[in-house]
Amino acid sequence: MLIRKAVKSDSEAIWKVHYDAIKNVCSSHYTQNQLEVWAGKLKQSSYIESIETKIMFVAEVNSVIVGFGQLNLANGEIEAVYVISSNLRLGIGKELFQKLETIAKEKGIRELSLISSLNAVKFYKQLGFTPKNEKTHKIAEDTVLQCVEMEKAI
């Protein structure tokens, strides 16, 4: 596996990972309607802006992008760690997170925060995050997602 900085030409592959993870990994905790609305809001072009303005890494296996992670240095927020459903539980998400955490430490960030989907709470707890608040995230006029705010001192 290779972890590398994302480049603009990765945007379609990142979108595919994100879409797959929502539809197939998050289905354990959210309804089909919630998943359809959530995944339907994803736009390939939005990843280009994140690649240019935030810290984003991709994970490759056999030259195929199978995961990505994103850090917002401005506020110390882990905005994404997603792995395609066919490559779960192989340590890919953990390695992506550790890369982001290393960058955050190097930049002087002392605490990381994130908003976790319900299915990922256990994953983030294993990485040392502590749940702070349960909340809802409105993704459409008639659709909300339950999620958990979490933080970790680094």
Side-chain angles (χ1 to χ4, degrees), residues 133-149:
N133 299 305
E134 291 185 16
K135 62 183 296 178
T136 57
H137 180 64
K138 186 174 182 177
I139 58 171
E141 189 59 40
D142 61 348
T143 309
V144 297
L145 299 176
Q146 295 299 118
C147 49
V148 179
E149 290 180 312

Side-chain angles (χ1 to χ4, degrees), residues 89-130:
R89 299 187 196 358
L90 301 174
I92 295 167
K94 182 179 180 180
E95 284 199 41
L96 283 163
F97 168 75
Q98 288 172 334
K99 184 69 173 173
L100 296 172
E101 182 180 43
T102 297
I103 299 292
K105 285 179 184 176
E106 289 171 355
K107 299 294 184 179
I109 294 174
R110 296 178 186 256
E111 182 175 88
L112 292 172
S113 64
L114 57 84
I115 299 174
S116 176
S117 57
L118 297 178
N119 56 285
V121 170
K122 181 179 176 184
F123 168 75
Y124 288 118
K125 281 183 177 179
Q126 291 171 340
L127 294 173
F129 280 85
T130 303

Side-chain angles (χ1 to χ4, degrees), residues 19 22-40 139 143 145:
Y19 188 90
I22 290 170
K23 295 285 284 187
N24 297 309
V25 180
C26 300
S27 62
S28 59
H29 287 76
Y30 298 99
T31 67
Q32 193 61 38
N33 180 65
Q34 287 172 309
L35 299 173
E36 292 291 333
V37 173
W38 185 6
I139 58 171
T143 309
L145 299 176

